[in-house]
Each structure stands twice: as structure tokens, then as C-alpha cells.
Amino acid sequence: MTSQPEPQSAPARTYEVRTYGCQMNVHDSERISGLLDGAGYVRLDPAAEPGRTPDVVVFNTCAVRENADNRLYGNLGHLRPVKDKHPGMQIAVGGCLAQKDQGEIVKKAPWVDVVFGTHNIGSLPVLLERARHNEQAQVELLESLEVFPSTLPTRRESTYSGWVSISVGCNNTCTFCIVPSLRGKEKDRRPGDVLAEVEALVAEGVLEVTLLGQNVNTYGVEFGDRLAFGKLLRATGQLRDKGLERVRFTSPHPAAFTDDVIEAMAETGNVCHSLHMPLQSGSDAVLKAMKRSYRSDRYLSIIEKVRAAMPDAAITTDIIVGFPGETDADFEETLRVVRESRFASAFTFQYSIRPGTPAATMDGQVPKAMVQERYERLVATLEEITWAENKKLVGREVEVLVAVGEGRKDQATGRMSGRARDGRLVHFAVAPEQVALVRPGDIVHTVVDYAAPHHLNCDGALVSHRRTRAGDAYEAGRVARTAGVMLGLPTIGRPPAQPVPADSACTTC
């Protein structure tokens, strides 16, 4: 009797996720990757397989900036001939721009296979399979959250640092912002769920966690505890002995900032003394037009309290130049607040019209040339301040969490890079005999000997180097993952292995 050869299973389909926009989108892309991994897809590694075309390309889009639409449709246009040459290739578009444009995407780019929104990320594997089976584009968007995204499986991009959402959506009505209409009203996770995810990351070796929300310090509004965020920060301190060394958060709203959060930051050992608090404008008239429910004196009073409790705190911000109706006097007020605030760094933006926002139809749109001139003055003022603040650190020892991808010139300069506890970017020298020993995820102590406006240089010998579990994971090529509920989603390729019998001596992890 002749045995028949076993049928060969089809190779797993590969994918690539392209992310645009904020930290929330970066974290959503981790979830998209986790979903696709769980459904049997394999992420394509361009470095390992240069030139190979993925079977699935997912665009996770942003709708905040004026050129977001042009960028997406330009990239989709570039992919059309690629898809024509690769039968079976699929393109999916998700995120805020997908939530905004919805079915218009497949009208403008009919070669797109799937459009999904901010509220139904978990549907992506089903939609891809349905589009492939039906040979027809699938457009599915929900107007409210289907399932809290953090219940979905996540493929973490870092072995040492992780994002954890504590809320999604926003209850504010800033006139320049389209996010609330695309991500919906604020939905809060229960504290126990947040802490369970943080603890799961720490168990994987993650050293640093950033708590994410559109407005973190209104956390608790859904379950009636206005002090919930400060309590959550303190609760993360209990995980310090388990290996959680750094806790960050972004972004708070000045109007909802309470003193208990400052106290929690100052008194909880693993909460970093860094605060990103958007200013947007220093003019009270412009803040009113923006419907930002605070004024410049309120903003400055928060900074004063933070620095009184934590003199070493690094404060960063967001600023918009050229909002409709902004006068020269308004802009001078912004410069005044910037000088008084002494920011460590700032994200600066020229106002751009976003259709669907109240500001888009306001009178007094500022001419582009005037916006550009003000923007250049703001950047020059900020660089003067950040350079002066960084120079104060020359000669001081800093603790650095070694990172990958932070230093664009590291290969040329022979340095490595990472972030200090206060969030500043640090480039540091490593002796030749230490190059193979210091890994992303490790902790080094070094002394600052040069300061630039946007980074610190440390070119002397390392004071100390501590190897960590996160560094071990990086060296081993492991990916940090947090589990989720797959919700009966279809899988691709080889079926999952059967569980090992209970009496087996072998276990897997």
C-alpha cells in the first residue's frame, strides 16, 4: 500500500501596518497587528525580506492635519500598480480619516478592499476574509464603540515600553478639533482592568508604561470618581517592586487638572516627573474662541504647583499658531506664556482648516504668510528656552532607558540613544568593549557634557549599566504581547496546535 503525501498547507499571508498620527493611533496599530497575528497572518519584516510585497497593507489614518487626505490618497495611488501586479493583495484603510470619509474612500480609490473605523477595529480580520471571499470591497463603520479596544489582542512594538489606554473618546468641544466626532464620547476602563493590563506587560519584562487618553485627568467621569486618575497613578506605584520602573501619561487637559494628580506624581516613586500639558494658545481671547475652558493664568498656576512639588519636572506642550481671529497682540500673549512656562520641548503647529470643525467656518482666517512669520518666531523663542533649560543639566548624571530608533545618527557617531526619566532625548557614548553588552531595554547612568535644544549628549564613560529582562527580550527577538478575546474571528493558514495533554511533562509559555 502506497502512502499518500500529506497536503502542503498554504503559506501564511503576510501583512504590513502603516501608521499616521498620534500615540493613540500607534497603540491602535499594535492592536491591529495583534488581531492579524491571532488570525494567522504573519507580519512582513522588510529588513529580512527586502523588496517583498505584503499580502495585506493596512493604513491606520489620522484626520487632524490638513494634508491627511492628500497623504492617504497619494499613498493609495502608489499602491494601485503594485496591487495590479500581485493578485490576491488586499488594502485596508482604518482610523480617524476612515471614520470621517467612510464610503468615499472606495469611490475615490476603488482598489481598496476594506474600510473600517475607530469603533470596530476588532472586525478587521472578518472584513478582510469577507472581501476576499466575495471579491467585493467591505465598508463597515460604527457610530459608537463596539468593544473597548484594550480587550483585543495586542502585538507590542517594544519589549521595554508599552502604551495602555485608560479611556477613549473625548467630551470636550474644542473648535479646532475633529477627534470627538470621530472617536466619540469618553469611555473609561475600570481601574482593575487597566492595572491588570499594566501588570501583564510588566510580567513580559516591560519597564515603562504610558497611560493613554484624549483627556486622562477626566478619567473616572463614567463611574463617578473625579479623583480616579490620581488614585490610578498611586496604584501603579504598587507594581514598582514587580519591575515597573517608569510611568508616564498623556495628555491631561488644564481645565480638569487637580492638585491630587500633582501630589500623586510627586509621591509615587515610579511616576516620572514629566508632564505634557497642551497650551494651544497663551491668549485668553483665542482660548475662548477655541472653547478651551481655562485661561492663561490657570495654566501658569498649574505649572507653578508642579514645579513647587517637583523642581526637576520637565514640562512639554502643544501650541497652535494662526487660529482664526488671532491678532498680533494675541500672539504676543502666547510668547509671554511660553517664556514664563520654560518648556522642555513643544509640538508646534500652524493652524489648518479641518472640514467639519466649527473653526473651519470662522471669520478672521489668518493669511498664510502671517502664520508662517509667527510660527518661525515661536520656534526661535522655544529653541532659545529649551537650549537654556538643557544647558542646566550639563555635568549632571542622568538615568537613561536605552531605546531603538531614537538616534538617527547613532551609527555614524558611535553613540546609542534613549530617554531620561524626565523624557529628554539622550545620546550617549559606549566603549567598544561595551557595544555588544548594552541593549535596548537596559538602563544606563551617564553624565551630560553637552546640551542642544532638542537633546543631550553624554560622551564620557558610562557610570553604570544594568541589564534588564526587557533587554534580554530584545536580544532574544521576542515580541511583548497582551492577550485578548478573539471574538470567534476567522483564522488564516495552518490550524492552531492542539493543547498539550494535562499529564504531559512538557509545558510551553
Side-chain angles (χ1 to χ4, degrees), residues 246 248 273-274 312-315 342-345 385-386 388-393 398-400 418-427 453-456:
R246 296 182 175 191
R248 306 185 188 279
H273 292 179
S274 61
D312 60 340
I315 298 171
R342 309 297 298 175
F343 295 118
S345 69
I385 291 167
T386 58
E389 292 300 304
N390 281 354
K391 284 178 179 177
K392 295 176 183 178
L393 299 175
V398 290
E399 177 195 282
V400 182
R419 295 281 171 176
R421 289 191 65 86
D422 65 7
R424 284 181 166 92
L425 176 61
V426 181
H427 305 302
H454 304 294
H455 65 268
L456 305 171

PDB file of all heavy atoms in Angstrom, residues 246 248 273-274 312-315 342-345 385-386 388-393 398-400 418-427 453-456:
ATOM      1  N   ARG A 246       8.982  52.963  35.347  1.00  0.00           N
ATOM      2  CA  ARG A 246       8.598  54.294  34.868  1.00  0.00           C
ATOM      3  C   ARG A 246       7.124  54.291  34.447  1.00  0.00           C
ATOM      4  O   ARG A 246       6.698  53.407  33.704  1.00  0.00           O
ATOM      5  CB  ARG A 246       9.453  54.704  33.662  1.00  0.00           C
ATOM      6  CG  ARG A 246      10.929  54.854  33.955  1.00  0.00           C
ATOM      7  CD  ARG A 246      11.675  55.311  32.714  1.00  0.00           C
ATOM      8  NE  ARG A 246      13.075  55.579  32.975  1.00  0.00           N
ATOM      9  CZ  ARG A 246      13.891  56.192  32.126  1.00  0.00           C
ATOM     10  NH1 ARG A 246      13.433  56.586  30.934  1.00  0.00           N
ATOM     11  NH2 ARG A 246      15.159  56.413  32.427  1.00  0.00           N
ATOM     12  N   ARG A 248       4.324  57.041  32.750  1.00  0.00           N
ATOM     13  CA  ARG A 248       4.047  58.332  32.134  1.00  0.00           C
ATOM     14  C   ARG A 248       2.567  58.387  31.784  1.00  0.00           C
ATOM     15  O   ARG A 248       1.859  57.370  31.837  1.00  0.00           O
ATOM     16  CB  ARG A 248       4.885  58.522  30.871  1.00  0.00           C
ATOM     17  CG  ARG A 248       6.380  58.345  31.067  1.00  0.00           C
ATOM     18  CD  ARG A 248       7.143  58.686  29.784  1.00  0.00           C
ATOM     19  NE  ARG A 248       8.549  58.355  29.900  1.00  0.00           N
ATOM     20  CZ  ARG A 248       9.460  59.129  30.509  1.00  0.00           C
ATOM     21  NH1 ARG A 248       9.086  60.270  31.060  1.00  0.00           N
ATOM     22  NH2 ARG A 248      10.727  58.765  30.561  1.00  0.00           N
ATOM     23  N   HIS A 273       8.713  62.446  36.505  1.00  0.00           N
ATOM     24  CA  HIS A 273       8.476  63.881  36.681  1.00  0.00           C
ATOM     25  C   HIS A 273       8.500  64.571  35.318  1.00  0.00           C
ATOM     26  O   HIS A 273       9.335  65.431  35.049  1.00  0.00           O
ATOM     27  CB  HIS A 273       9.509  64.472  37.632  1.00  0.00           C
ATOM     28  CG  HIS A 273       9.362  63.986  39.031  1.00  0.00           C
ATOM     29  ND1 HIS A 273      10.201  64.375  40.049  1.00  0.00           N
ATOM     30  CD2 HIS A 273       8.461  63.133  39.594  1.00  0.00           C
ATOM     31  CE1 HIS A 273       9.830  63.776  41.177  1.00  0.00           C
ATOM     32  NE2 HIS A 273       8.777  63.015  40.916  1.00  0.00           N
ATOM     33  N   SER A 274       7.600  64.148  34.473  1.00  0.00           N
ATOM     34  CA  SER A 274       7.445  64.779  33.165  1.00  0.00           C
ATOM     35  C   SER A 274       5.956  64.969  32.923  1.00  0.00           C
ATOM     36  O   SER A 274       5.149  64.098  33.252  1.00  0.00           O
ATOM     37  CB  SER A 274       8.069  63.925  32.056  1.00  0.00           C
ATOM     38  OG  SER A 274       7.440  62.668  31.974  1.00  0.00           O
ATOM     39  N   ASP A 312      12.398  69.267  39.521  1.00  0.00           N
ATOM     40  CA  ASP A 312      13.089  68.708  38.352  1.00  0.00           C
ATOM     41  C   ASP A 312      12.137  68.360  37.212  1.00  0.00           C
ATOM     42  O   ASP A 312      12.548  67.787  36.205  1.00  0.00           O
ATOM     43  CB  ASP A 312      13.870  67.456  38.750  1.00  0.00           C
ATOM     44  CG  ASP A 312      12.963  66.353  39.313  1.00  0.00           C
ATOM     45  OD1 ASP A 312      11.835  66.672  39.748  1.00  0.00           O
ATOM     46  OD2 ASP A 312      13.383  65.185  39.327  1.00  0.00           O
ATOM     47  N   ALA A 313      10.862  68.701  37.335  1.00  0.00           N
ATOM     48  CA  ALA A 313       9.875  68.305  36.323  1.00  0.00           C
ATOM     49  C   ALA A 313      10.180  68.946  34.969  1.00  0.00           C
ATOM     50  O   ALA A 313      10.504  70.129  34.883  1.00  0.00           O
ATOM     51  CB  ALA A 313       8.477  68.694  36.775  1.00  0.00           C
ATOM     52  N   ALA A 314      10.062  68.144  33.929  1.00  0.00           N
ATOM     53  CA  ALA A 314      10.173  68.639  32.550  1.00  0.00           C
ATOM     54  C   ALA A 314       8.761  68.759  31.990  1.00  0.00           C
ATOM     55  O   ALA A 314       8.020  67.773  31.960  1.00  0.00           O
ATOM     56  CB  ALA A 314      11.003  67.686  31.705  1.00  0.00           C
ATOM     57  N   ILE A 315       8.405  69.959  31.549  1.00  0.00           N
ATOM     58  CA  ILE A 315       7.045  70.212  31.071  1.00  0.00           C
ATOM     59  C   ILE A 315       7.088  70.475  29.573  1.00  0.00           C
ATOM     60  O   ILE A 315       7.886  71.300  29.096  1.00  0.00           O
ATOM     61  CB  ILE A 315       6.420  71.393  31.832  1.00  0.00           C
ATOM     62  CG1 ILE A 315       6.334  71.050  33.320  1.00  0.00           C
ATOM     63  CG2 ILE A 315       5.033  71.721  31.274  1.00  0.00           C
ATOM     64  CD1 ILE A 315       5.936  72.196  34.211  1.00  0.00           C
ATOM     65  N   ARG A 342       8.758  78.068  30.465  1.00  0.00           N
ATOM     66  CA  ARG A 342      10.074  77.432  30.362  1.00  0.00           C
ATOM     67  C   ARG A 342       9.939  75.949  29.985  1.00  0.00           C
ATOM     68  O   ARG A 342      10.410  75.042  30.667  1.00  0.00           O
ATOM     69  CB  ARG A 342      10.872  77.563  31.673  1.00  0.00           C
ATOM     70  CG  ARG A 342      10.972  78.954  32.255  1.00  0.00           C
ATOM     71  CD  ARG A 342      11.691  79.917  31.365  1.00  0.00           C
ATOM     72  NE  ARG A 342      13.084  79.545  31.107  1.00  0.00           N
ATOM     73  CZ  ARG A 342      13.888  80.193  30.269  1.00  0.00           C
ATOM     74  NH1 ARG A 342      13.423  81.244  29.590  1.00  0.00           N
ATOM     75  NH2 ARG A 342      15.123  79.809  30.082  1.00  0.00           N
ATOM     76  N   PHE A 343       9.315  75.700  28.831  1.00  0.00           N
ATOM     77  CA  PHE A 343       9.068  74.332  28.386  1.00  0.00           C
ATOM     78  C   PHE A 343      10.367  73.609  28.062  1.00  0.00           C
ATOM     79  O   PHE A 343      11.324  74.204  27.568  1.00  0.00           O
ATOM     80  CB  PHE A 343       8.164  74.329  27.151  1.00  0.00           C
ATOM     81  CG  PHE A 343       6.779  74.843  27.417  1.00  0.00           C
ATOM     82  CD1 PHE A 343       6.303  75.987  26.774  1.00  0.00           C
ATOM     83  CD2 PHE A 343       5.935  74.186  28.301  1.00  0.00           C
ATOM     84  CE1 PHE A 343       5.025  76.466  27.008  1.00  0.00           C
ATOM     85  CE2 PHE A 343       4.652  74.659  28.547  1.00  0.00           C
ATOM     86  CZ  PHE A 343       4.194  75.797  27.898  1.00  0.00           C
ATOM     87  N   ALA A 344      10.365  72.286  28.297  1.00  0.00           N
ATOM     88  CA  ALA A 344      11.497  71.451  27.905  1.00  0.00           C
ATOM     89  C   ALA A 344      11.449  71.146  26.416  1.00  0.00           C
ATOM     90  O   ALA A 344      12.490  70.928  25.789  1.00  0.00           O
ATOM     91  CB  ALA A 344      11.493  70.151  28.709  1.00  0.00           C
ATOM     92  N   SER A 345      10.248  71.103  25.848  1.00  0.00           N
ATOM     93  CA  SER A 345      10.067  70.970  24.409  1.00  0.00           C
ATOM     94  C   SER A 345       8.611  71.254  24.096  1.00  0.00           C
ATOM     95  O   SER A 345       7.774  71.351  24.997  1.00  0.00           O
ATOM     96  CB  SER A 345      10.464  69.570  23.896  1.00  0.00           C
ATOM     97  OG  SER A 345       9.550  68.602  24.351  1.00  0.00           O
ATOM     98  N   ILE A 385      14.694  78.837  24.682  1.00  0.00           N
ATOM     99  CA  ILE A 385      14.335  78.395  26.033  1.00  0.00           C
ATOM    100  C   ILE A 385      14.776  76.963  26.278  1.00  0.00           C
ATOM    101  O   ILE A 385      15.381  76.653  27.319  1.00  0.00           O
ATOM    102  CB  ILE A 385      12.809  78.538  26.243  1.00  0.00           C
ATOM    103  CG1 ILE A 385      12.424  80.019  26.284  1.00  0.00           C
ATOM    104  CG2 ILE A 385      12.366  77.836  27.529  1.00  0.00           C
ATOM    105  CD1 ILE A 385      10.936  80.273  26.166  1.00  0.00           C
ATOM    106  N   THR A 386      14.464  76.066  25.338  1.00  0.00           N
ATOM    107  CA  THR A 386      14.802  74.660  25.570  1.00  0.00           C
ATOM    108  C   THR A 386      16.315  74.450  25.633  1.00  0.00           C
ATOM    109  O   THR A 386      16.793  73.623  26.413  1.00  0.00           O
ATOM    110  CB  THR A 386      14.192  73.752  24.468  1.00  0.00           C
ATOM    111  OG1 THR A 386      14.660  74.171  23.174  1.00  0.00           O
ATOM    112  CG2 THR A 386      12.674  73.830  24.488  1.00  0.00           C
ATOM    113  N   ALA A 388      18.489  76.690  26.767  1.00  0.00           N
ATOM    114  CA  ALA A 388      18.898  77.196  28.082  1.00  0.00           C
ATOM    115  C   ALA A 388      18.540  76.199  29.189  1.00  0.00           C
ATOM    116  O   ALA A 388      19.331  75.968  30.119  1.00  0.00           O
ATOM    117  CB  ALA A 388      18.227  78.544  28.350  1.00  0.00           C
ATOM    118  N   GLU A 389      17.354  75.597  29.108  1.00  0.00           N
ATOM    119  CA  GLU A 389      16.946  74.615  30.116  1.00  0.00           C
ATOM    120  C   GLU A 389      17.832  73.379  30.059  1.00  0.00           C
ATOM    121  O   GLU A 389      18.218  72.834  31.099  1.00  0.00           O
ATOM    122  CB  GLU A 389      15.479  74.225  29.915  1.00  0.00           C
ATOM    123  CG  GLU A 389      14.482  75.350  30.207  1.00  0.00           C
ATOM    124  CD  GLU A 389      14.584  75.839  31.636  1.00  0.00           C
ATOM    125  OE1 GLU A 389      14.444  75.007  32.569  1.00  0.00           O
ATOM    126  OE2 GLU A 389      14.820  77.054  31.841  1.00  0.00           O
ATOM    127  N   ASN A 390      18.164  72.918  28.853  1.00  0.00           N
ATOM    128  CA  ASN A 390      19.020  71.740  28.720  1.00  0.00           C
ATOM    129  C   ASN A 390      20.438  72.006  29.219  1.00  0.00           C
ATOM    130  O   ASN A 390      21.085  71.117  29.776  1.00  0.00           O
ATOM    131  CB  ASN A 390      19.049  71.267  27.272  1.00  0.00           C
ATOM    132  CG  ASN A 390      17.802  70.479  26.900  1.00  0.00           C
ATOM    133  OD1 ASN A 390      16.957  70.182  27.746  1.00  0.00           O
ATOM    134  ND2 ASN A 390      17.670  70.146  25.624  1.00  0.00           N
ATOM    135  N   LYS A 391      20.929  73.230  29.014  1.00  0.00           N
ATOM    136  CA  LYS A 391      22.288  73.564  29.475  1.00  0.00           C
ATOM    137  C   LYS A 391      22.414  73.438  30.991  1.00  0.00           C
ATOM    138  O   LYS A 391      23.509  73.176  31.514  1.00  0.00           O
ATOM    139  CB  LYS A 391      22.662  74.982  29.036  1.00  0.00           C
ATOM    140  CG  LYS A 391      23.028  75.098  27.559  1.00  0.00           C
ATOM    141  CD  LYS A 391      23.334  76.544  27.195  1.00  0.00           C
ATOM    142  CE  LYS A 391      23.725  76.692  25.731  1.00  0.00           C
ATOM    143  NZ  LYS A 391      23.961  78.118  25.368  1.00  0.00           N
ATOM    144  N   LYS A 392      21.315  73.612  31.707  1.00  0.00           N
ATOM    145  CA  LYS A 392      21.343  73.483  33.175  1.00  0.00           C
ATOM    146  C   LYS A 392      21.694  72.056  33.612  1.00  0.00           C
ATOM    147  O   LYS A 392      22.082  71.830  34.760  1.00  0.00           O
ATOM    148  CB  LYS A 392      19.991  73.873  33.768  1.00  0.00           C
ATOM    149  CG  LYS A 392      19.612  75.337  33.584  1.00  0.00           C
ATOM    150  CD  LYS A 392      18.214  75.606  34.130  1.00  0.00           C
ATOM    151  CE  LYS A 392      17.782  77.041  33.893  1.00  0.00           C
ATOM    152  NZ  LYS A 392      16.387  77.293  34.377  1.00  0.00           N
ATOM    153  N   LEU A 393      21.545  71.093  32.684  1.00  0.00           N
ATOM    154  CA  LEU A 393      21.795  69.696  33.025  1.00  0.00           C
ATOM    155  C   LEU A 393      23.219  69.253  32.743  1.00  0.00           C
ATOM    156  O   LEU A 393      23.599  68.128  33.085  1.00  0.00           O
ATOM    157  CB  LEU A 393      20.821  68.797  32.252  1.00  0.00           C
ATOM    158  CG  LEU A 393      19.334  69.034  32.547  1.00  0.00           C
ATOM    159  CD1 LEU A 393      18.466  68.188  31.642  1.00  0.00           C
ATOM    160  CD2 LEU A 393      19.026  68.739  34.007  1.00  0.00           C
ATOM    161  N   VAL A 398      22.454  61.357  34.554  1.00  0.00           N
ATOM    162  CA  VAL A 398      21.084  61.040  34.166  1.00  0.00           C
ATOM    163  C   VAL A 398      20.931  59.531  34.009  1.00  0.00           C
ATOM    164  O   VAL A 398      21.871  58.827  33.643  1.00  0.00           O
ATOM    165  CB  VAL A 398      20.679  61.731  32.841  1.00  0.00           C
ATOM    166  CG1 VAL A 398      20.533  63.227  33.034  1.00  0.00           C
ATOM    167  CG2 VAL A 398      21.670  61.414  31.722  1.00  0.00           C
ATOM    168  N   GLU A 399      19.724  59.064  34.328  1.00  0.00           N
ATOM    169  CA  GLU A 399      19.369  57.662  34.094  1.00  0.00           C
ATOM    170  C   GLU A 399      18.691  57.566  32.735  1.00  0.00           C
ATOM    171  O   GLU A 399      17.768  58.312  32.450  1.00  0.00           O
ATOM    172  CB  GLU A 399      18.415  57.166  35.177  1.00  0.00           C
ATOM    173  CG  GLU A 399      17.935  55.743  34.967  1.00  0.00           C
ATOM    174  CD  GLU A 399      16.731  55.406  35.838  1.00  0.00           C
ATOM    175  OE1 GLU A 399      16.948  55.152  37.037  1.00  0.00           O
ATOM    176  OE2 GLU A 399      15.594  55.410  35.322  1.00  0.00           O
ATOM    177  N   VAL A 400      19.153  56.645  31.903  1.00  0.00           N
ATOM    178  CA  VAL A 400      18.640  56.540  30.543  1.00  0.00           C
ATOM    179  C   VAL A 400      18.111  55.128  30.295  1.00  0.00           C
ATOM    180  O   VAL A 400      18.814  54.139  30.561  1.00  0.00           O
ATOM    181  CB  VAL A 400      19.746  56.863  29.502  1.00  0.00           C
ATOM    182  CG1 VAL A 400      19.186  56.791  28.081  1.00  0.00           C
ATOM    183  CG2 VAL A 400      20.357  58.228  29.769  1.00  0.00           C
ATOM    184  N   GLY A 418      18.504  57.046  24.072  1.00  0.00           N
ATOM    185  CA  GLY A 418      17.380  56.646  24.918  1.00  0.00           C
ATOM    186  C   GLY A 418      16.756  57.868  25.552  1.00  0.00           C
ATOM    187  O   GLY A 418      17.070  59.008  25.185  1.00  0.00           O
ATOM    188  N   ARG A 419      15.878  57.621  26.507  1.00  0.00           N
ATOM    189  CA  ARG A 419      15.165  58.700  27.179  1.00  0.00           C
ATOM    190  C   ARG A 419      15.519  58.733  28.669  1.00  0.00           C
ATOM    191  O   ARG A 419      15.542  57.705  29.344  1.00  0.00           O
ATOM    192  CB  ARG A 419      13.656  58.517  27.026  1.00  0.00           C
ATOM    193  CG  ARG A 419      13.170  58.633  25.586  1.00  0.00           C
ATOM    194  CD  ARG A 419      13.055  60.069  25.150  1.00  0.00           C
ATOM    195  NE  ARG A 419      12.803  60.164  23.698  1.00  0.00           N
ATOM    196  CZ  ARG A 419      12.580  61.313  23.059  1.00  0.00           C
ATOM    197  NH1 ARG A 419      12.572  62.456  23.736  1.00  0.00           N
ATOM    198  NH2 ARG A 419      12.376  61.337  21.762  1.00  0.00           N
ATOM    199  N   ALA A 420      15.765  59.961  29.160  1.00  0.00           N
ATOM    200  CA  ALA A 420      15.945  60.159  30.595  1.00  0.00           C
ATOM    201  C   ALA A 420      14.592  60.017  31.288  1.00  0.00           C
ATOM    202  O   ALA A 420      13.536  59.974  30.639  1.00  0.00           O
ATOM    203  CB  ALA A 420      16.548  61.530  30.860  1.00  0.00           C
ATOM    204  N   ARG A 421      14.597  59.968  32.595  1.00  0.00           N
ATOM    205  CA  ARG A 421      13.334  59.816  33.324  1.00  0.00           C
ATOM    206  C   ARG A 421      12.385  60.971  33.042  1.00  0.00           C
ATOM    207  O   ARG A 421      11.164  60.804  33.071  1.00  0.00           O
ATOM    208  CB  ARG A 421      13.581  59.703  34.829  1.00  0.00           C
ATOM    209  CG  ARG A 421      14.219  58.396  35.266  1.00  0.00           C
ATOM    210  CD  ARG A 421      14.180  58.244  36.783  1.00  0.00           C
ATOM    211  NE  ARG A 421      12.812  58.130  37.275  1.00  0.00           N
ATOM    212  CZ  ARG A 421      12.125  56.991  37.347  1.00  0.00           C
ATOM    213  NH1 ARG A 421      12.671  55.860  36.932  1.00  0.00           N
ATOM    214  NH2 ARG A 421      10.898  56.967  37.820  1.00  0.00           N
ATOM    215  N   ASP A 422      12.924  62.144  32.772  1.00  0.00           N
ATOM    216  CA  ASP A 422      12.055  63.294  32.504  1.00  0.00           C
ATOM    217  C   ASP A 422      11.623  63.375  31.043  1.00  0.00           C
ATOM    218  O   ASP A 422      10.976  64.339  30.632  1.00  0.00           O
ATOM    219  CB  ASP A 422      12.720  64.599  32.947  1.00  0.00           C
ATOM    220  CG  ASP A 422      13.977  64.931  32.157  1.00  0.00           C
ATOM    221  OD1 ASP A 422      14.290  64.224  31.168  1.00  0.00           O
ATOM    222  OD2 ASP A 422      14.659  65.916  32.526  1.00  0.00           O
ATOM    223  N   GLY A 423      11.990  62.368  30.253  1.00  0.00           N
ATOM    224  CA  GLY A 423      11.554  62.311  28.864  1.00  0.00           C
ATOM    225  C   GLY A 423      12.508  62.916  27.869  1.00  0.00           C
ATOM    226  O   GLY A 423      12.280  62.808  26.648  1.00  0.00           O
ATOM    227  N   ARG A 424      13.580  63.560  28.322  1.00  0.00           N
ATOM    228  CA  ARG A 424      14.522  64.160  27.380  1.00  0.00           C
ATOM    229  C   ARG A 424      15.274  63.089  26.596  1.00  0.00           C
ATOM    230  O   ARG A 424      15.600  62.026  27.128  1.00  0.00           O
ATOM    231  CB  ARG A 424      15.515  65.059  28.117  1.00  0.00           C
ATOM    232  CG  ARG A 424      14.934  66.407  28.556  1.00  0.00           C
ATOM    233  CD  ARG A 424      15.997  67.236  29.260  1.00  0.00           C
ATOM    234  NE  ARG A 424      15.613  68.634  29.408  1.00  0.00           N
ATOM    235  CZ  ARG A 424      14.976  69.129  30.470  1.00  0.00           C
ATOM    236  NH1 ARG A 424      14.638  68.319  31.483  1.00  0.00           N
ATOM    237  NH2 ARG A 424      14.679  70.416  30.535  1.00  0.00           N
ATOM    238  N   LEU A 425      15.566  63.416  25.337  1.00  0.00           N
ATOM    239  CA  LEU A 425      16.333  62.521  24.472  1.00  0.00           C
ATOM    240  C   LEU A 425      17.815  62.644  24.820  1.00  0.00           C
ATOM    241  O   LEU A 425      18.352  63.749  24.879  1.00  0.00           O
ATOM    242  CB  LEU A 425      16.091  62.893  23.008  1.00  0.00           C
ATOM    243  CG  LEU A 425      16.892  62.126  21.953  1.00  0.00           C
ATOM    244  CD1 LEU A 425      16.580  60.632  22.000  1.00  0.00           C
ATOM    245  CD2 LEU A 425      16.603  62.694  20.565  1.00  0.00           C
ATOM    246  N   VAL A 426      18.469  61.505  25.014  1.00  0.00           N
ATOM    247  CA  VAL A 426      19.880  61.469  25.402  1.00  0.00           C
ATOM    248  C   VAL A 426      20.644  60.575  24.433  1.00  0.00           C
ATOM    249  O   VAL A 426      20.258  59.429  24.188  1.00  0.00           O
ATOM    250  CB  VAL A 426      20.050  60.926  26.840  1.00  0.00           C
ATOM    251  CG1 VAL A 426      21.526  60.918  27.230  1.00  0.00           C
ATOM    252  CG2 VAL A 426      19.236  61.752  27.830  1.00  0.00           C
ATOM    253  N   HIS A 427      21.727  61.117  23.865  1.00  0.00           N
ATOM    254  CA  HIS A 427      22.664  60.330  23.058  1.00  0.00           C
ATOM    255  C   HIS A 427      23.912  60.096  23.911  1.00  0.00           C
ATOM    256  O   HIS A 427      24.490  61.053  24.434  1.00  0.00           O
ATOM    257  CB  HIS A 427      23.050  61.083  21.781  1.00  0.00           C
ATOM    258  CG  HIS A 427      21.876  61.503  20.940  1.00  0.00           C
ATOM    259  ND1 HIS A 427      20.956  60.623  20.444  1.00  0.00           N
ATOM    260  CD2 HIS A 427      21.475  62.744  20.518  1.00  0.00           C
ATOM    261  CE1 HIS A 427      20.042  61.276  19.742  1.00  0.00           C
ATOM    262  NE2 HIS A 427      20.325  62.561  19.774  1.00  0.00           N
ATOM    263  N   PRO A 453      19.283  72.169  21.798  1.00  0.00           N
ATOM    264  CA  PRO A 453      17.879  72.486  22.088  1.00  0.00           C
ATOM    265  C   PRO A 453      16.976  71.268  22.213  1.00  0.00           C
ATOM    266  O   PRO A 453      16.007  71.293  22.967  1.00  0.00           O
ATOM    267  CB  PRO A 453      17.468  73.360  20.893  1.00  0.00           C
ATOM    268  CG  PRO A 453      18.734  73.984  20.419  1.00  0.00           C
ATOM    269  CD  PRO A 453      19.780  72.933  20.636  1.00  0.00           C
ATOM    270  N   HIS A 454      17.296  70.184  21.482  1.00  0.00           N
ATOM    271  CA  HIS A 454      16.371  69.050  21.451  1.00  0.00           C
ATOM    272  C   HIS A 454      16.961  67.753  21.990  1.00  0.00           C
ATOM    273  O   HIS A 454      16.291  66.718  21.949  1.00  0.00           O
ATOM    274  CB  HIS A 454      15.889  68.817  20.016  1.00  0.00           C
ATOM    275  CG  HIS A 454      15.266  70.028  19.401  1.00  0.00           C
ATOM    276  ND1 HIS A 454      14.085  70.565  19.855  1.00  0.00           N
ATOM    277  CD2 HIS A 454      15.680  70.829  18.381  1.00  0.00           C
ATOM    278  CE1 HIS A 454      13.787  71.635  19.129  1.00  0.00           C
ATOM    279  NE2 HIS A 454      14.742  71.827  18.246  1.00  0.00           N
ATOM    280  N   HIS A 455      18.200  67.783  22.485  1.00  0.00           N
ATOM    281  CA  HIS A 455      18.774  66.562  23.019  1.00  0.00           C
ATOM    282  C   HIS A 455      19.965  66.878  23.920  1.00  0.00           C
ATOM    283  O   HIS A 455      20.457  68.014  23.960  1.00  0.00           O
ATOM    284  CB  HIS A 455      19.227  65.624  21.886  1.00  0.00           C
ATOM    285  CG  HIS A 455      20.353  66.163  21.054  1.00  0.00           C
ATOM    286  ND1 HIS A 455      20.167  66.890  19.910  1.00  0.00           N
ATOM    287  CD2 HIS A 455      21.708  66.081  21.219  1.00  0.00           C
ATOM    288  CE1 HIS A 455      21.318  67.231  19.389  1.00  0.00           C
ATOM    289  NE2 HIS A 455      22.267  66.764  20.173  1.00  0.00           N
ATOM    290  N   LEU A 456      20.416  65.842  24.635  1.00  0.00           N
ATOM    291  CA  LEU A 456      21.603  65.920  25.474  1.00  0.00           C
ATOM    292  C   LEU A 456      22.617  64.905  24.960  1.00  0.00           C
ATOM    293  O   LEU A 456      22.245  63.819  24.508  1.00  0.00           O
ATOM    294  CB  LEU A 456      21.248  65.581  26.929  1.00  0.00           C
ATOM    295  CG  LEU A 456      20.138  66.405  27.582  1.00  0.00           C
ATOM    296  CD1 LEU A 456      19.770  65.806  28.935  1.00  0.00           C
ATOM    297  CD2 LEU A 456      20.562  67.865  27.734  1.00  0.00           C
TER     298      LEU A 456
END
